[in-house]
Amino acid sequence: MDNNIKILIVEDDENLANNIESFLNDFASVDIENDGLSGKFAAIEDVYDLIILDLMLPGMSGYDILKNIRQDKVTTPVLILTAKSEIDDKIHGFDLGADDYLTKPFHREELQARVKALLKRSGALADDSILKINDIEINLNNHEVLIENDPIELNGKEYDLLVYLMQNKNTILTKDQIFERIWGFDSDTSITVVEVYMSNLRKKLRPSENDYLIKTIRNVGYIFQNEKKN
């Protein structure tokens, strides 16, 4: 499983949600919410690479969740999964900002293919498991990091941090988001560890003059900007 890919399933049928998780967790970390309100909260407060969203949910409908998260500037790809098969329902979902639509019942292989297609389209899942930005190239299979084809040694958390930043290029990530994603919200470690590891990562990128790609947004967090140095 590649823990750097994170998927949220909002589905009130617990058996279905667990079944979906079982055939996605070979390449992603999966969270499940079984009601609309908690699903909306998770989608807004956490950082996901994909949201699989049912429409008919207790507490808040999938349509309302989609409308709310898009109004809140959450750009995470959304795959609607529902028994509603009318064309008007599909159009309404796309109008609200859905990226794909799959009706129940569905074949496991089709859902997995659509999920991977959306992840590749957003850059979260690289073709051939290669993540490349400017001079930096990461092989997600063997965790090898190359800069201008020369290997660079990163420890586990430094590697996880670089992958997370690159997969969310040009997006501001708060310290809380980074801490929860890399260390986990229930970690005994202080959130100041984010600054320590960010500093260490910059030092390892400095010899190749790629440290400028990581920028600090004061009192907010960090952003990995996909740009060439002037």
Side-chain angles (χ1 to χ4, degrees):
M1 179 179 70
D2 185 352
N3 288 318
N4 289 299
I5 295 176
K6 195 170 180 182
I7 296 174
L8 172 65
I9 300 173
V10 187
E11 166 64 61
D12 63 331
D13 184 331
E14 294 185 21
N15 288 332
L16 176 59
N18 291 334
N19 285 335
I20 295 172
E21 178 189 19
S22 69
F23 57 82
L24 295 181
N25 64 14
D26 63 329
F27 63 89
S29 173
V30 180
D31 290 341
I32 297 174
E33 297 293 346
N34 298 124
D35 69 85
L37 290 174
S38 61
K40 184 196 79 168
F41 180 81
I44 291 175
E45 294 299 318
D46 208 338
V47 178
Y48 291 97
D49 299 297
L50 178 69
I51 299 170
I52 298 176
L53 180 64
D54 188 21
L55 290 182
M56 302 181 70
L57 295 161
M60 175 179 283
S61 74
Y63 286 137
D64 287 336
I65 293 173
L66 186 54
K67 181 179 179 180
N68 273 263
I69 67 174
R70 292 303 188 231
Q71 288 176 341
D72 210 61
K73 309 302 181 184
V74 175
T75 59
T76 306
V78 173
L79 169 62
I80 290 178
L81 191 65
T82 181
K84 289 177 171 285
S85 59
E86 297 297 323
I87 187 64
D88 288 345
D89 294 319
K90 295 182 180 180
I91 292 173
H92 186 45
F94 286 125
D95 285 343
L96 289 174
D99 296 88
D100 202 356
Y101 200 113
L102 186 61
T103 55
K104 304 173 185 177
F106 58 88
H107 291 287
R108 163 178 173 162
E109 294 77 10
E110 182 178 6
L111 175 60
Q112 192 173 76
R114 286 175 183 251
V115 165
K116 288 186 175 182
L118 287 172
L119 291 171
K120 287 179 180 179
R121 189 187 309 167
S122 68
L125 183 65
D127 290 320
D128 301 323
S129 297
I130 297 297
L131 182 62
K132 181 174 174 60
I133 295 177
N134 293 355
D135 300 328
I136 304 173
E137 181 176 307
I138 300 177
N139 187 316
L140 298 175
N141 284 331
N142 60 19
H143 289 201
E144 182 181 46
V145 181
L146 301 176
I147 297 182
E148 294 182 338
N149 296 319
D150 292 325
I152 177 174
E153 291 295 328
L154 301 179
N155 70 33
K157 295 300 184 185
E158 290 170 349
Y159 169 84
D160 292 340
L161 182 57
L162 181 59
V163 169
Y164 186 43
L165 289 169
M166 289 176 64
Q167 287 180 332
N168 291 276
K169 61 183 183 295
N170 301 323
T171 300
I172 296 173
L173 299 172
T174 67
K175 291 180 183 179
D176 286 336
Q177 289 172 328
I178 294 170
F179 181 77
E180 181 171 342
R181 183 65 172 263
I182 305 299
W183 284 270
F185 70 91
D186 57 348
S187 172
D188 293 331
T189 306
S190 166
I191 195 170
T192 57
V193 74
V194 174
E195 297 176 11
V196 174
Y197 272 79
M198 198 68 71
S199 176
N200 292 342
L201 180 57
R202 279 176 166 148
K203 288 177 182 177
K204 292 190 175 181
L205 296 179
R206 192 165 296 144
S208 63
E209 299 185 347
N210 281 282
D211 54 306
Y212 76 97
L213 293 169
I214 302 174
K215 291 181 169 57
T216 300
I217 309 300
R218 189 173 181 180
N219 299 323
V220 179
Y222 303 90
I223 183 170
F224 188 98
Q225 291 193 315
N226 180 19
E227 60 182 24
K228 289 291 185 180
K229 191 173 184 180
N230 294 328

